[in-house]
Amino acid sequence: MNWTNRLLSFLTVISLLTAREIPVRESYNALFYSSEMVHATPHINNLIRNGVSELTEYEKSKLSEIGLIVQGDEIIVQKSTDLNQIYDTEHFRFYYTLDDNSNHAVEDENYVIMMGEVFEEVWTFYLDSMGFDSPPLNPDNDHDLYEIYIEYLSPQFFGWAEGHGSGPSCHGLIKMRNSYSGTQFEDHTELENIQVTAVHEFFHAIQWGYNCYSYKNPWFMEATAVWSEDELYDTINDHYRYMKYWFENPDQPISLSTGNFKYGSFIFFQYLDEHLGGREMIRSCWDYSREFANPSTDISFKAINAALQDNNSSIESAVNQMRVANQILSSSENAGIYAYEEAEGYLSVVNQPPKKEYLIFEKGDIDQIENFSLQRFSSHYYSLITESPVSLSLIATSGEFYFTSVVKIYGTDQWVVKSGSELNIDPKLGFEWIVLIVSAIGEDETYWDYILRLEDGYSEDFTFYSPYPNPSKGQSVTLQFQVITEQTIEFRIIDLLGQEVWHFSKHYEEPEVVTLKWPGLNKSGQRVANGIYFGIMEGNTKTKVQKITYLKKSD
């Protein structure tokens, strides 16, 4: 890599490691010239905070077209005088008009009532079910309801939420469309369009209260808001529209805030939801975001990592597991911690991530691939074809990496996943495909460089993979192993005193991938105590041991 490209890479990654507002010009163009549907919230708020000094006088004059006006040395939200009707629900005040002479007119009051019912449902979801704090109210208001303005909005806008304030917590308002029945919304009913927009924008209102600085690098805001659409309204699937660009660009970091990529990053939080703590994990990420709020530094990774550490995980391992899940893309129980509940739906709009290179290995070869400037929390996928055992080594020349192989077993609904800096793959079992995944982790570098080395490997006897989930937290522990040569496998689970609590034995004549489930019971069928156990697997020529932390589900 030449020094010019190295410098460009350095500057790109630096912008990703620090809090960086979206360029005002990018926001202005997105709001006025985009040919696609736009979530206006990050761009509107960027103009409100940063636009007055960077826009031309002509551009400032056009702001009224999207509900903004310049007042003195600041840009503020324009409140239409046409909205002469008020409708109050328990927690919201809606401003609207029925005047047919106004561009903002709604069809009838039933539209407003329907929207009110949706927002109350959204309130219940966030505050009662998920435990979020209610969004801050405008201190200048003479009421205690959150304000929503139903207006005509530009055709490419769903709606938007404004956050306003000078500290770490903002109050604001939401603007919703006076109609969601246009051709741009025809994939869903009007009610469905209101539902996904309401749950998305109201989450922004909540987020402003937790960390008003989040707009500086909006991927965290937008990805969790898109996640919430499916969490509450899981049959609408409007969020599928964002997946294609995200899946087609695995070499981009998950925090990229360009275009639809930041919305497609919802898949990371979907993975956390399904495998690392449920919806409570998402709330915990925002709890930590509030604790770490900083006007000059992007703390999204720090907040997410703190929440994951409370769940005995880390952002590094979670990103790697998600990258594996994106390759497997299955809802099968056999996929275990790499499954997605809606994998078949995802496959209706995306394919597995594209491969950086297709590697063909032959016995006696020694191949070496060098790659430079992978960015933090981005990945390279390689396809591997081999008829003989191959040894794989990942050599980091700068930065830290997760190196993982995923093997789809031929004719089965099973996958074998291995991780480590040195891996061996014996194709004797038979495979449909082999994929290697290199993911950049850590934060001590500005670019991540590595060498991937392939050479002759060895035939394996059996392989015993890491149990999961581990700690179990009330779930059955999955124990997976791969038998290559004919043999009898003896498997025992013992406690710290060496006493056997569970036993399995079987003779295997053919290569096979085997999955066992240990429900946390001893040989008498009684629940074992919380604690450390050891799984011991013995074959013809070797013994493997894995530590298991068994925890009963808390009450």
Side-chain angles (χ1 to χ4, degrees), residues 207-208 211-221 286 289:
Q207 292 165 353
W208 297 135
N211 185 352
C212 194
Y213 307 126
S214 295
Y215 83 93
K216 291 175 175 288
N217 201 334
W219 82 276
F220 181 34
M221 290 182 59
W286 279 100
S289 179

Side-chain angles (χ1 to χ4, degrees), residues 246-349:
W246 203 92
F247 266 78
E248 288 178 349
N249 294 275
D251 57 346
Q252 297 295 334
I254 62 173
S255 57
L256 186 67
S257 292
T258 299
N260 281 338
F261 195 95
K262 58 183 172 291
Y263 306 113
S265 290
F266 86 86
I267 195 69
F268 176 60
F269 295 97
Q270 186 63 39
Y271 185 85
L272 301 189
D273 175 11
E274 293 188 30
H275 296 288
L276 291 168
R279 59 173 60 168
E280 291 80 9
M281 172 59 65
I282 312 304
R283 191 196 68 231
S284 182
C285 290
W286 279 100
D287 285 340
Y288 278 111
S289 179
R290 174 163 56 187
E291 179 179 337
F292 301 147
N294 188 300
S296 59
T297 304
D298 174 25
I299 53 77
S300 56
F301 288 154
K302 181 180 179 180
I304 295 165
N305 190 55
L308 284 165
Q309 286 181 337
D310 288 345
N311 204 56
N312 299 298
S313 184
S314 69
I315 191 169
E316 288 85 2
S317 66
V319 169
N320 187 64
Q321 290 169 9
M322 174 206 63
R323 296 293 189 183
V324 174
N326 292 354
Q327 171 61 36
I328 291 175
L329 268 186
S330 173
S331 61
S332 169
E333 183 181 30
N334 292 335
I337 60 171
Y338 306 113
Y340 285 119
E341 294 176 2
E342 294 186 34
E344 283 69 29
Y346 299 162
L347 284 168
S348 69
V349 293

Side-chain angles (χ1 to χ4, degrees), residues 53 96 111 147 169 264 356 361 428 437 487 493 524 537:
S53 62
Y96 69 101
Y111 179 84
E147 294 185 328
S169 181
K356 182 170 182 62
F361 180 80
K428 187 181 297 183
I437 307 174
Q487 61 189 298
I493 294 179
S524 300
M537 186 167 291

Side-chain angles (χ1 to χ4, degrees), residues 195-255:
Q195 288 171 328
V196 295
T197 306
V199 71
H200 186 110
E201 299 304 336
F202 189 61
F203 200 6
H204 288 329
I206 290 172
Q207 292 165 353
W208 297 135
Y210 276 69
N211 185 352
C212 194
Y213 307 126
S214 295
Y215 83 93
K216 291 175 175 288
N217 201 334
W219 82 276
F220 181 34
M221 290 182 59
E222 296 298 344
T224 51
V226 172
W227 164 84
S228 73
E229 296 176 22
D230 192 53
E231 186 69 10
L232 180 55
Y233 300 114
D234 64 351
T235 62
I236 299 177
N237 295 330
D238 185 71
H239 62 303
Y240 283 10
R241 72 173 74 212
Y242 309 119
M243 297 186 69
K244 186 174 185 291
Y245 183 76
W246 203 92
F247 266 78
E248 288 178 349
N249 294 275
D251 57 346
Q252 297 295 334
I254 62 173
S255 57

Side-chain angles (χ1 to χ4, degrees), residues 31-173:
L31 293 170
F32 283 96
Y33 302 117
S34 175
S35 60
E36 300 178 342
M37 295 298 298
V38 174
H39 278 290
T41 295
H43 302 298
I44 291 285
N45 284 277
N46 192 22
L47 292 186
I48 289 172
R49 290 168 172 81
N50 303 310
V52 72
S53 62
E54 297 194 30
L55 298 179
T56 67
E57 292 304 314
Y58 170 74
E59 290 169 338
K60 292 176 185 177
S61 69
K62 282 180 64 67
L63 293 180
S64 61
E65 298 177 14
I66 57 172
L68 302 176
I69 56 172
V70 177
Q71 190 174 83
D73 60 353
E74 61 179 347
I75 296 173
I76 65 172
V77 178
Q78 184 179 26
K79 297 182 179 180
S80 173
T81 58
D82 289 355
L83 305 184
N84 53 12
Q85 304 263 6
I86 291 176
Y87 174 68
D88 289 346
T89 65
E90 183 179 357
H91 300 104
F92 298 94
R93 170 162 290 183
F94 295 86
Y95 296 91
Y96 69 101
T97 185
L98 297 171
D99 185 354
D100 291 337
N101 294 319
S102 171
N103 202 32
H104 300 301
V106 298
E107 183 176 357
D108 56 42
E109 288 182 339
N110 290 330
Y111 179 84
V112 183
I113 294 171
M114 176 173 63
M115 189 175 289
E117 291 173 346
V118 169
F119 269 93
E120 287 297 336
E121 186 174 51
V122 168
W123 179 285
T124 297
F125 166 68
Y126 283 121
L127 279 75
D128 298 337
S129 297
M130 290 193 64
F132 278 104
D133 293 342
S134 58
L137 300 175
N138 188 338
D140 295 331
N141 289 347
D142 59 358
H143 57 81
D144 59 355
L145 303 174
Y146 198 87
E147 294 185 328
I148 298 174
Y149 293 77
I150 305 176
E151 301 180 0
Y152 169 82
L153 301 179
S154 297
Q156 74 271 28
F157 294 176
F158 291 92
W160 52 267
E162 175 217 354
H164 182 72
S166 57
S169 181
C170 301
H171 65 269
L173 56 84

